[in-house]
């Protein structure tokens, strides 16, 4: 049995129209999936950086291990300061625990995906908070970590 694409232009338009309706009706699910997937990638990046630090340490590449630890630490400190400046005092313990346990990207993605309302006392809305944290992570940890790993590869 051979499969052939229909040459009937009306048939193609109907299929295209049905496909567009399915995508449009499920766009909120796709947006949620994207948020959770990027959060997963962000947390996986942090885990891979920790794995690389232990590998550098075991291979006696202390300069690369130290540089990676500094990047991870800088990321956490800046995120912690950001949370301190944007969250009310009664939420500090919980929010700081989220930062320091490395699950902030996942929590932020969940808050945005579930359309959690900005709580009273929060200085920024949930989407802006998530975006800000991702920018902090990218500038202080992801990009420098990539450069450190490239230097480690090229130095061997």
């Amino acid at each position: 049995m051979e499969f052939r694409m229909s040459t009937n232009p009306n048939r193609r338009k109907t299929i295209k129209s049905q496909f567009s309706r399915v995508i449009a009706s499920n766009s909120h699910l796709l947006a949620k999936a994207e948020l959770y997937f990027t959060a997963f990638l962000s947390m996986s990046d942090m885990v891979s950086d920790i794995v690389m630090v232990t590998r550098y340490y075991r291979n006696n590449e202390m300069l690369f291990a130290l540089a990676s630890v500094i990047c991870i630490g800088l990321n956490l400190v800046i995120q912690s300061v950001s949370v301190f400046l944007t969250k009310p005092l009664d939420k500090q313990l919980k929010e700081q625990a989220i930062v320091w346990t490395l699950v902030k990207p996942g929590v932020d993605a969940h808050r945005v995906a579930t359309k959690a309302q900005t709580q009273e006392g929060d200085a920024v809305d949930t989407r802006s908070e998530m975006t800000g944290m991702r920018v902090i992570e990218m500038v202080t940890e992801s990009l420098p970590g990539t450069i450190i790993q490239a230097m480690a590869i090229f130095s061997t």
Side-chain angles (χ1 to χ4, degrees):
M1 185 166 156
E2 184 178 319
F3 176 77
R4 290 187 297 182
M5 183 72 164
S6 173
T7 56
N8 181 348
N10 290 332
R11 175 83 173 129
R12 285 185 185 173
K13 285 181 184 177
T14 302
I15 292 171
K16 197 174 191 180
S17 174
Q18 289 173 344
F19 183 72
S20 296
R21 273 191 297 237
V22 168
I23 294 296
S25 67
N26 292 312
S27 63
H28 66 285
L29 294 175
L30 294 173
K32 283 184 180 182
E34 178 187 5
L35 284 170
Y36 287 120
F37 181 70
T38 56
F40 169 76
L41 288 178
S42 183
M43 292 189 305
S44 298
D45 177 50
M46 185 63 77
V47 170
S48 72
D49 288 341
I50 293 169
V51 168
M52 289 308 298
V53 167
T54 58
R55 182 172 286 168
Y56 294 144
Y57 182 77
R58 286 183 186 151
N59 292 337
N60 206 25
E61 296 173 321
M62 297 304 172
L63 182 63
F64 296 126
L66 181 62
S68 296
V69 167
I70 289 171
C71 290
I72 292 168
L74 183 63
N75 174 39
L76 292 173
V77 167
I78 293 175
Q79 282 189 15
S80 180
V81 168
S82 176
V83 164
F84 179 76
L85 295 174
T86 60
K87 296 290 183 183
L89 289 176
D90 60 332
K91 294 183 185 176
Q92 285 296 317
L93 184 60
K94 176 184 172 190
E95 294 295 325
Q96 293 294 339
I98 290 170
V99 169
W100 290 98
T101 56
L102 310 177
V103 295
K104 183 77 171 141
V107 171
D108 285 345
H110 178 71
R111 288 174 179 166
V112 172
T114 59
K115 297 183 175 157
Q117 297 296 317
T118 303
Q119 300 296 315
E120 186 177 328
D122 289 354
V124 295
D125 63 287
T126 53
R127 184 171 291 280
S128 298
E129 179 182 8
M130 181 185 75
T131 302
M133 293 300 171
R134 295 240 172 111
V135 169
I136 291 169
E137 180 185 353
M138 184 177 64
V139 170
T140 61
E141 187 265 323
S142 296
L143 293 175
T146 302
I147 293 168
I148 292 166
Q149 288 178 14
M151 290 173 57
I153 289 169
F154 291 127
S155 70
T156 57

